[in-house]
């Protein structure tokens, strides 16, 4: 299993698989073929079906050069992976190269069937069950286990992630107006935050604050702003909203927050390793479901729950998102994505609270590993219409224009 750094990456929205991944593929081409004069890019599957709404074409044009690119949206040719693209490289009229890229989620790509910029496998375990046994034998907390494995600059890296999450939320809270695209959706994070300030009920206030932070991060994402994959850009509001809320409102120490982010990253890493974090492969259970699982582990850690309770929280967070579809209206990362992140942030808190007391009265029959396996199997059963294709669900019921 690779470093948790592969889960948390900073980059432009609105989609880690449809924007960040194609950007990395285009950068690879620029680096390998500086002599190239023009390119032909063919997008397949989900990249073709929702590429316009996800700004796939714009990030490619920006990276390779607007005057050099011909982009084709091939919605008919079947491909093994839904996030497949081919870039043909030319020196004037002569084709000098052709590469097939697969955007596998979280900004990571495969190049001609091989993973690009392969990070080393540094974790000795790939299952939560094995990690729990290891930690129990050595009396380690999950964050201590992580620190034992990761390299010397990991704390510095996580500090950057922490700062960017706060910055993304803070920037989003200050902005008003309409999000780009044909849906003409108003930004509401600022208004939600103002509503929270006037709440007399403390539960309502905290709930609204948390929601406003999730909206802020996701509205930044939807407008192409800089966000953190957690584990993806489509689910980039869940963890940052919790981080912002726990740091600014609940006054948790920065050290606790960052250690909690590490534990959340371990959860995301296990999901990525044993299933997928790609909505085009397994629906939104793999994105927002995974983010809720990570968020629940983060909350449980910050609240000083033990390793078993943290696992239980993560399991609850993912289990009750099983089967969640990815059906973005118009192919934009807006409906249902933005509101869905706000709901998942609330559910993260609920899952951690339930786990805290549930583990005191019963042993959990459903392990985290079992739920990850189930999510993977469920994703394979979901029809293509409900996996980031904009061909089913809300995408065909909700009109693009109000």
């Amino acid at each position: 299993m690779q470093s948790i750094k592969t889960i948390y990456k900073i980059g432009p929205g609105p989609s880690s698989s449809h924007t960040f991944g194609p950007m990395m593929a285009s950068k690879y081409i620029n680096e390998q073929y500086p002599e190239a004069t023009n390119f032909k890019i063919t997008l397949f599957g989900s990249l073709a079906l929702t590429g316009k709404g996800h700004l796939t074409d714009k990030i490619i044009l920006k990276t390779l050069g607007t005057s050099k690119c011909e982009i084709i949206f091939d919605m008919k040719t079947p491909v093994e992976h839904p996030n497949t693209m081919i870039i043909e490289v030319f020196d004037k009229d002569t084709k000098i190269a052709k590469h097939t890229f697969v955007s596998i989620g979280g900004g990571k790509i495969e190049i001609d069937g091989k993973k690009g910029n392969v990070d080393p496998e540094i974790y000795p375990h790939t299952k939560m069950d094995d990690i729990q046994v290891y930690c129990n034998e050595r009396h380690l907390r999950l964050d201590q286990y992580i620190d034992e494995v990761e390299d010397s600059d990991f704390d510095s890296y996580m500090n950057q992630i922490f700062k960017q999450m706060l910055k993304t939320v803070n920037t989003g809270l200050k902005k008003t107006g309409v999000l780009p695209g044909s849906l003409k959706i108003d930004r509401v994070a600022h208004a939600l935050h103002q509503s929270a300030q006037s709440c007399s009920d403390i539960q309502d206030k905290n709930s609204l604050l948390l929601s406003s932070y999730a909206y802020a991060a996701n509205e930044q994402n939807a407008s192409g702003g800089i966000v953190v994959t957690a584990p993806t850009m489509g689910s980039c509001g869940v963890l940052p909203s919790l981080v912002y809320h726990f740091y600014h409102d609940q006054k948790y120490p920065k050290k606790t927050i960052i250690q909690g982010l590490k534990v959340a990253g371990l959860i995301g890493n296990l999901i990525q390793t044993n299933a997928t974090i790609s909505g085009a492969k397994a629906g939104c259970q793999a994105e927002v479901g995974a983010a809720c699982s990570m968020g629940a582990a983060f909350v449980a850690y910050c609240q000083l729950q033990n390793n078993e309770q943290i696992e239980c929280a993560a399991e609850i967070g993912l289990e009750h998102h099983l089967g969640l579809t990815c059906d973005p209206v118009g192919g934009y990362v807006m409906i249902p994505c933005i509101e869905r992140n706000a709901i998942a942030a609330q559910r993260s808190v609920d899952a951690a609270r339930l786990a805290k007391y549930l583990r005191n009265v019963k042993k959990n029959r459903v392990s985290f590993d079992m739920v990850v396996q189930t999510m993977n199997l469920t994703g394979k059963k979901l029809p293509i219409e409900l996996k980031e294709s904009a061909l089913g669900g809300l995408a065909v019921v909700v009109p693009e224009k109000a």
Side-chain angles (χ1 to χ4, degrees):
M1 194 161 68
Q2 297 171 344
S3 170
I4 289 170
K5 294 176 185 176
T6 65
I7 291 293
Y8 297 124
K9 293 182 178 179
I10 300 170
S15 171
S16 48
S17 59
H18 289 60
T19 311
F20 205 168
M23 180 184 74
M24 298 304 292
S26 300
K27 283 185 174 181
Y28 173 85
I29 292 295
N30 274 338
E31 292 168 359
Q32 296 295 315
Y33 306 100
E35 74 278 17
T37 59
N38 53 295
F39 311 93
K40 179 180 178 182
I41 301 97
T42 307
L43 305 175
F44 301 93
S46 181
L47 288 180
L49 291 163
T50 64
K52 286 287 185 181
H54 286 51
L55 308 184
T56 305
D57 53 340
K58 289 188 177 181
I59 198 68
I60 292 172
L61 292 172
K62 181 179 179 180
T63 308
L64 291 177
T66 55
S67 62
K68 298 180 178 180
C69 296
E70 175 192 3
I71 299 180
I72 299 170
F73 293 82
D74 187 338
M75 303 181 187
K76 295 182 179 179
T77 302
V79 286
E80 185 174 344
H81 193 288
N83 291 335
T84 298
M85 59 186 286
I86 292 176
I87 300 181
E88 297 173 76
V89 186
F90 296 86
D91 183 357
K92 297 180 181 178
D93 294 329
T94 303
K95 185 192 293 188
I96 57 176
K98 176 181 178 182
H99 292 287
T100 300
F101 297 90
V102 174
S103 183
I104 59 176
K108 292 174 285 297
I109 57 171
E110 291 182 352
I111 306 169
D112 298 325
K114 299 179 181 179
K115 292 182 179 179
N117 298 322
V118 178
D119 292 287
E121 304 284 334
I122 64 172
Y123 279 84
H125 310 102
T126 59
K127 301 285 186 177
M128 177 59 84
D129 286 349
D130 296 331
I131 292 172
Q132 291 284 27
V133 170
Y134 182 88
C135 288
N136 286 338
E137 289 176 347
R138 290 160 180 79
H139 306 289
L140 294 174
R141 299 191 310 269
L142 289 175
D143 63 310
Q144 292 174 322
Y145 166 76
I146 294 164
D147 287 336
E148 184 177 278
V149 176
E150 296 283 352
D151 61 25
S152 58
D153 72 340
F154 186 55
D155 280 342
S156 175
Y157 186 88
M158 291 305 298
N159 188 54
Q160 293 176 30
I161 295 301
F162 168 77
K163 286 181 177 179
Q164 183 59 54
M165 285 184 171
L166 295 182
K167 183 178 180 180
T168 298
V169 172
N170 193 47
T171 303
L173 285 174
K174 295 175 181 177
K175 293 199 173 184
T176 57
V178 180
L179 293 172
S182 62
L183 296 182
K184 305 299 181 186
I185 294 176
D186 291 326
R187 287 177 176 265
V188 299
H190 179 74
L192 276 177
H193 192 254
Q194 286 187 315
S195 297
Q197 303 303 328
S198 62
C199 278
S200 57
D201 184 284
I202 189 62
Q203 287 186 324
D204 284 354
K205 181 175 183 177
N206 283 329
S207 179
L208 268 181
L209 284 172
L210 188 57
S211 294
S212 73
Y213 305 149
Y215 268 82
N218 281 95
E219 286 171 357
Q220 281 299 97
N221 181 62
S223 59
I226 301 299
V227 298
V228 177
T229 61
T232 67
M233 289 177 169
S235 59
C236 73
V238 180
L239 261 178
S241 66
L242 292 163
V243 167
Y244 199 94
H245 182 53
F246 274 56
Y247 185 62
H248 284 294
D249 303 325
Q250 303 296 330
K251 307 301 181 184
Y252 279 77
K254 177 181 175 181
K255 175 67 174 177
T256 300
I257 299 285
I258 290 180
Q259 292 301 103
L261 274 174
K262 293 177 183 180
V263 173
L266 178 66
I267 296 300
N269 212 0
L270 287 166
I271 294 172
Q272 175 182 247
T273 301
N274 295 294
T276 180
I277 55 172
S278 170
K281 284 203 74 176
C284 203
Q285 59 173 355
E287 295 198 38
V288 170
C292 183
S293 184
M294 293 168 67
F298 168 82
V299 174
Y301 173 84
C302 291
Q303 294 177 344
L304 302 179
Q305 295 186 33
N306 63 37
N307 291 353
E308 288 72 25
Q309 289 169 316
I310 292 171
E311 177 187 349
C312 184
E315 178 269 312
I316 292 171
L318 183 57
E319 179 181 347
H320 301 291
H321 281 86
L322 290 177
L324 187 63
T325 59
C326 184
D327 47 358
V329 176
Y332 294 98
V333 190
M334 298 180 192
I335 301 174
C337 319
I338 298 174
E339 185 177 282
R340 183 169 285 172
N341 274 252
I343 293 296
Q346 309 284 342
R347 299 292 77 78
S348 295
V349 176
D350 293 340
R353 182 187 300 114
L354 182 57
K356 180 179 181 179
Y357 297 101
L358 195 60
R359 289 291 294 178
N360 291 333
V361 296
K362 67 181 285 287
K363 182 178 179 180
N364 209 15
R365 287 284 298 275
V366 182
S367 71
F368 175 77
D369 290 333
M370 291 175 184
V371 171
V372 173
Q373 181 184 3
T374 304
M375 187 269 278
N376 201 33
L377 293 172
T378 303
K380 292 176 181 178
K381 293 291 185 179
L382 284 176
I384 184 63
E385 290 82 3
L386 300 177
K387 292 193 284 192
E388 211 168 355
S389 65
L391 296 174
L394 287 172
V396 298
V397 174
V398 178
E400 282 192 45
K401 295 183 179 180

